[in-house]
Amino acid sequence: MFIDQGYGAAIAFFFGLFFIPLVLGLSRSLGLYAVVQEREAQVFTLFGKVIGTLDDAGLRFPVSHFGLKALLLPFFGKRYLVSTALKQYYLRDQMVNSEEGTPMGVGIWYEMQVSNPVSYLFVNANPEGSLQANVASSTISTLSNLEMDKMLEDRHQLSRKVRATVSPLSEKWGYKLGSVYIRKVAFTDRQMVDNITEKVVKRLVQVTSAMKQDGENRVGLIKSQTAYKVSQKMAEAAATRPAVVGAALNDLRQKDPDVLAAVLDVMETDQLIASRAEVDVLPADAQMLVELGGASGPAPLALDSDAFS
């Protein structure tokens, strides 16, 4: 019986489509090969004893690593999958008391990663829970009875101290502790928070008022010093002016006395006009006694007409 070539290819395709996965699954269940994922370790035990670990990602053959006894693993052994990825945790509201007796709530962030899958599986029944309890207890013992200022300001140093305390035991349990950071230190008593807030607000108001008053005092001092210097300079200028004018007039007298006389006449006339005094004009050849300034004015003067020539 002959089968058409087209039908033969279709049958081969469907046969391979179902047969190959079946063969691969059967081989995998028999432990002939294992696929190790990224950030994963596979621990194999036989008769209750660990025979080895595969932690390199990719296709691996247990027989080549553990020998022929690997063929017994599907029947008398067991495979454990352990994630070696970095894990992060955050512990909230860990209660501690400061040196002043103030109850404080502390938040702790930390990260961990499995470094020894065998110890991680068999040394501690609950390694992550134990790590959490260890971090919490170390944080409480480190921060308790500390001064409140130090607890709020030195969190980096305190975090490193907690990490140094927890790390030796965590390595014994098969994982390494990464970064530890005390993220939050907060008051838990609401009334105390309100009292502290009120004190801070009052203190800010006092500081602001003191700064404002200091600024006003400085401005007033600068203004008074500036006014003093200005008045001093004005007085020096007023004292210097007569000497300057006198020196100029003396120089003019030496160079041209007629000009000096004319300048003095002009200045005198200008002062006379500025005084708004009454002026009586008489003929140039008048010889008489005149009364200047009206009946209530000063006594009569004898004027010579040559004085107006």
Side-chain angles (χ1 to χ4, degrees):
M1 181 178 183
F2 297 98
I3 302 176
D4 187 73
Q5 186 175 2
Y7 288 111
I11 292 173
F13 174 76
F14 286 105
F15 181 76
L17 185 63
F18 293 101
F19 181 74
I20 292 176
L22 181 63
V23 171
L24 291 177
L26 182 61
S27 301
R28 188 173 183 177
S29 62
L30 293 176
L32 298 180
Y33 77 94
V35 178
V36 181
Q37 303 294 332
E38 290 287 345
R39 297 291 182 182
E40 181 187 75
Q42 297 183 3
V43 180
F44 294 88
T45 61
L46 182 64
F47 300 115
K49 294 183 179 180
V50 178
I51 62 172
T53 303
L54 297 178
D55 53 5
D56 292 332
L59 182 63
R60 297 290 178 266
F61 300 95
V63 176
S64 63
H65 291 275
F66 312 129
L68 295 177
K69 59 183 178 183
L71 299 176
L72 301 177
L73 287 173
F75 309 100
F76 306 102
K78 189 174 181 180
R79 185 183 63 167
Y80 296 89
L81 303 179
V82 178
S83 174
T84 58
L86 187 67
K87 299 178 182 178
Q88 299 177 344
Y89 298 92
Y90 184 67
L91 303 180
R92 301 178 183 274
D93 299 331
Q94 302 299 312
M95 300 304 298
V96 297
N97 290 324
S98 66
E99 185 184 40
E100 298 83 359
T102 305
M104 308 285 289
V106 179
I108 314 157
W109 173 88
Y110 67 92
E111 58 185 11
M112 57 84 69
Q113 186 177 20
V114 175
S115 58
N116 188 336
V118 177
S119 299
Y120 178 78
L121 288 174
F122 303 111
V123 173
N124 192 316
N126 185 10
E128 296 188 10
S130 299
L131 174 63
Q132 179 178 340
N134 199 9
V135 171
S137 61
S138 298
T139 303
I140 293 172
S141 62
T142 302
L143 270 66
S144 293
N145 297 324
L146 284 180
E147 295 179 359
M148 187 180 301
D149 295 341
K150 188 174 183 179
M151 192 182 301
L152 294 173
E153 297 174 359
D154 298 342
R155 286 184 287 175
H156 294 286
Q157 296 180 2
L158 296 173
S159 299
R160 287 195 290 269
K161 188 175 181 179
V162 172
R163 184 178 185 277
T165 304
V166 178
S167 291
L169 192 56
S170 64
E171 293 176 358
K172 182 180 178 182
W173 289 343
Y175 49 79
K176 58 183 179 181
L177 186 64
S179 300
V180 178
Y181 183 59
I182 301 173
R183 292 184 57 187
K184 182 179 180 181
V185 178
F187 297 100
T188 57
D189 190 340
R190 186 62 190 174
Q191 184 176 1
M192 181 176 294
V193 173
D194 294 339
N195 293 335
I196 293 176
T197 303
E198 185 179 359
K199 291 181 180 178
V200 171
V201 171
K202 289 182 179 179
R203 181 58 180 164
L204 288 176
V205 172
Q206 292 176 353
V207 172
T208 304
S209 300
M211 293 175 64
K212 183 178 179 181
Q213 185 63 41
D214 182 68
E216 292 178 351
N217 293 338
R218 289 176 182 271
V219 171
L221 180 62
I222 292 173
K223 286 183 178 179
S224 61
Q225 291 178 348
T226 303
Y228 170 74
K229 290 181 180 179
V230 170
S231 62
Q232 186 179 12
K233 294 298 181 182
M234 292 296 291
E236 292 177 358
T240 305
R241 181 174 179 277
V244 174
V245 174
L249 294 177
N250 289 330
D251 183 63
L252 183 61
R253 181 179 61 82
Q254 295 176 358
K255 292 180 179 178
D256 195 341
D258 295 336
V259 174
L260 176 60
V263 170
L264 293 177
D265 289 342
V266 171
M267 293 175 63
E268 183 179 1
T269 305
D270 184 65
Q271 291 294 328
L272 182 62
I273 295 173
S275 65
R276 297 181 181 277
E278 294 182 0
V279 178
D280 296 329
V281 180
L282 298 175
D285 54 350
Q287 295 290 336
M288 61 184 70
L289 291 174
V290 298
E291 185 178 356
L292 301 178
S296 59
L301 298 177
L303 299 179
D304 189 354
S305 60
D306 296 336
F308 301 94
S309 60

